Amino acid sequence: MARILKTDPDNPQMEDLEFGAEIIRNGGLVVFPTETVYGLGANAKSADACKKIFIAKERPSDNPLIVHISSLKMLDEVVSHVPENIRPVLEMIWPGPVTLLFPKNNLIPDVVTGGSDLVAVRMPDNKLALGLIETSGVPIAAPSANVSTRPSITASRHAIVELVDKVDLIYDSGNTSYGLESTIIDVSGLKPVLLRSGSKSVEDLRSIFGPIEVTDFARGLAESPVPRAPGMKYRHYAPRKKLILASERQLAEAASKNPEFSGKLAIIGSSEICSNSSIKCLSLGSESDLGEVGRNLFSSFRELEEIVEVAGLVMPFTENGMGLAVMNRIRKASASTVESIEELEKLIFQ
Ligand code: TXA
Ligand code: MG
C-alpha cells in the first residue's frame, strides 16, 4: 500500500521531499504532480527501478519514458550532447511543459528509452516535482501516472484510486495546472519535428524554434511514424464508457437537447452547450478558453465512467492554440466518430 502524503505543490515541506527522495534513491516508485499531469517516477539511472514503472503501469516495454531534470547541470548527466543551436533555447522553455529529444548518454539505461539512442527530457514547472528531483539527486524517469490506455491523471484523488496498491508513495497535491501532457519535439535532426502536441502551443514554439510542421499524426488523425516515436502507436486515454466524437458542434448540441438519450448518454462539451442541455452534460469550460477546456478534459473522461450507462458524446473544438492538443487527446480516446443523430442512436440503442 502506498503512503499518501498531503503536500502543497507550491510550497512543499523539506521533510515531505526527503521522504519521497529516500524512496527514489532506494529504487522505489513515487507518484508526484507536475504542471501538466501526475507522473509515476523512479530513479532514471537505475534499470531495476525503471522496470518497476513498466510493471505498475502495465506498459509495453518499447514505449519509452520521459526523464525529468531539475537543473541544466543535470541535463549533462542524461544526454551525450546538446546541439549548439538548442542551448540558448533551453532557458526560454524550462522549467515548462516542453519535452525535447536528445542523443542519450550511457548512464541512462536502455529500458528508459525502449532501446532508442534518443532520450526525452524535460524540466517540469512545479515546485514539488523540482524539489523531489533535486533532493533525490538523480534525474527521475516518469510517464504519466495512469495505468496504460487509461486517461492521464490530473487530480490526486484519481491517482490514489488507480495506484494505491502499485507504488510506494503518492503526493496528494490536488489538481495539476495545465491538465494536458507536455509538447514533445525532436530536436536531434536538422529541423525540429513535433512528436506530440501538448500544453505549450505550437504557435508559441514557432516563435522560439522557427517553422514546425504539424502532421496528421500530431493531430491524432494518423498513427505514429514508427520507429521515431514507438510509444505513440498505442491506444490511449480511453475511458471505460464508450467515448464518441461528434463530427460537428451542432450535432453535439442537437443530442444535448434530445431527452431520448437521458441516462444512456452524457455530453462532454463547452459551458455554452451544457447550459442549455436537457441531458447530463460535463462542462469543460467556455469555447473561448481552450486552456480551461484542456485542464478539465481528462477528469471529464473519468467522471463519465461514474455518471452514464452507455456512452459519452464529446464535441469538437477548434484546433488553435491548446485546441490542437485537446483534439489530439479527444481523437485518440474516442472509439468512433458520428456524423448524424441516426448514427448516434444506433450506437446507443443497439
Ligand atoms: O507532461 C508530460 O509529458 C508527462 C509528465 C509526467 O511529465 N509525461 C508523459 O509521459 O506524458 P508519457 O510516458 O505518458 O508520454 C511520453 C511520450 C510517450 O508516448 C513516449 O513514446 C514518448 O513520450 N517518448 C518518450 N521517450 C521517447 C524517446 N526516447 N523517443 C521517442 N518518443 C519518446
Ligand atoms: Mg501517457
Side-chain angles (χ1 to χ4, degrees):
M1 283 289 269
R3 173 82 183 267
I4 293 165
L5 270 184
K6 202 163 180 62
T7 307
D8 180 354
D10 297 322
N11 185 23
Q13 301 302 299
M14 200 55 213
E15 63 185 55
D16 290 350
L17 296 177
E18 276 295 352
F19 192 85
E22 185 70 15
I23 292 172
I24 294 287
R25 283 191 295 261
N26 289 329
L29 298 182
V30 175
V31 172
F32 62 98
T34 76
E35 79 281 37
T36 58
V37 300
Y38 274 79
L40 199 177
N43 179 354
K45 290 181 173 172
S46 161
D48 286 345
C50 290
K51 279 181 195 152
K52 292 184 193 165
I53 296 178
F54 288 87
I55 295 167
K57 233 184 113 79
E58 300 163 28
R59 179 170 178 129
S61 61
D62 65 349
N63 193 353
L65 309 176
I66 294 176
V67 174
H68 297 70
I69 56 171
S70 59
S71 66
L72 289 181
K73 195 166 156 270
M74 208 178 245
L75 182 63
D76 295 318
E77 295 176 29
V78 174
V79 306
S80 70
H81 68 275
V82 176
E84 268 322 304
N85 58 328
I86 297 302
R87 272 237 184 245
V89 164
L90 298 178
E91 283 182 13
M92 296 161 81
I93 56 168
W94 286 347
V98 183
T99 297
L100 300 180
L101 260 59
F102 297 100
K104 87 173 187 70
N105 75 16
N106 53 18
L107 292 175
I108 296 300
D110 284 342
V111 59
V112 170
T113 61
S116 166
D117 45 15
L118 297 180
V119 59
V121 187
R122 84 179 190 98
M123 191 191 293
D125 187 12
N126 176 287
K127 286 193 175 139
L128 197 162
L130 289 173
L132 177 68
I133 301 163
E134 197 173 306
T135 314
S136 306
V138 290
I140 294 183
S144 55
N146 54 289
V147 167
S148 221
T149 79
R150 300 271 297 137
S152 300
I153 291 179
T154 56
S156 48
R157 63 179 195 287
H158 294 145
I160 294 167
V161 173
E162 191 145 306
L163 297 161
V164 72
D165 53 7
K166 295 173 183 263
V167 301
D168 301 297
L169 169 66
I170 299 174
Y171 284 107
D172 180 2
S173 302
N175 297 333
T176 59
S177 21
Y178 289 91
L180 296 174
E181 304 88 341
S182 61
T183 307
I184 306 181
I185 306 181
D186 183 355
V187 291
S188 66
L190 287 177
K191 278 192 191 156
V193 178
L194 179 72
L195 294 184
R196 178 176 73 182
S197 53
S199 278
K200 183 92 170 166
S201 75
V202 174
E203 290 86 341
D204 281 357
L205 288 170
R206 283 191 183 122
S207 66
I208 300 172
F209 289 95
I212 300 174
E213 194 193 342
V214 174
T215 56
D216 277 357
F217 149 65
R219 295 173 62 206
L221 285 166
E223 288 305 301
S224 153
V226 181
R228 178 168 255 147
M232 295 179 184
K233 71 188 186 198
Y234 295 105
R235 182 152 170 68
H236 256 96
Y237 317 124
R240 291 197 175 107
K241 293 283 161 64
K242 206 186 293 174
L243 187 70
I244 301 164
L245 171 59
S247 62
E248 305 279 347
R249 179 191 192 281
Q250 262 178 328
L251 177 57
E253 190 170 20
S256 78
K257 293 181 176 157
N258 190 335
E260 72 167 329
F261 292 124
S262 191
K264 301 260 187 263
L265 183 76
I267 307 295
I268 299 183
S270 60
S271 53
E272 289 84 354
I273 296 245
C274 285
S275 58
N276 288 308
S277 178
S278 47
I279 64 175
K280 274 191 187 141
C281 193
L282 296 169
S283 170
L284 299 173
S286 169
E287 275 150 64
S288 63
D289 186 353
L290 292 170
E292 178 71 9
V293 170
R295 201 156 24 252
N296 292 321
L297 189 68
F298 282 129
S299 283
S300 79
F301 290 175
R302 284 173 183 268
E303 254 175 83
L304 178 71
E305 298 174 347
E306 316 286 317
I307 65 164
V308 278
E309 275 174 41
V310 183
L313 181 71
V314 59
M315 69 176 261
F317 291 86
T318 54
E319 286 176 83
N320 302 326
M322 290 300 296
L324 185 68
V326 165
M327 284 309 295
N328 168 289
R329 305 308 187 269
I330 288 177
R331 290 195 179 106
K332 285 179 170 260
S334 302
S336 54
T337 303
V338 289
E339 297 188 353
S340 67
I341 290 285
E342 293 70 39
E343 264 184 67
L344 181 61
E345 282 170 339
K346 256 194 220 145
L347 286 176
I348 302 302
F349 298 113
Q350 72 192 357

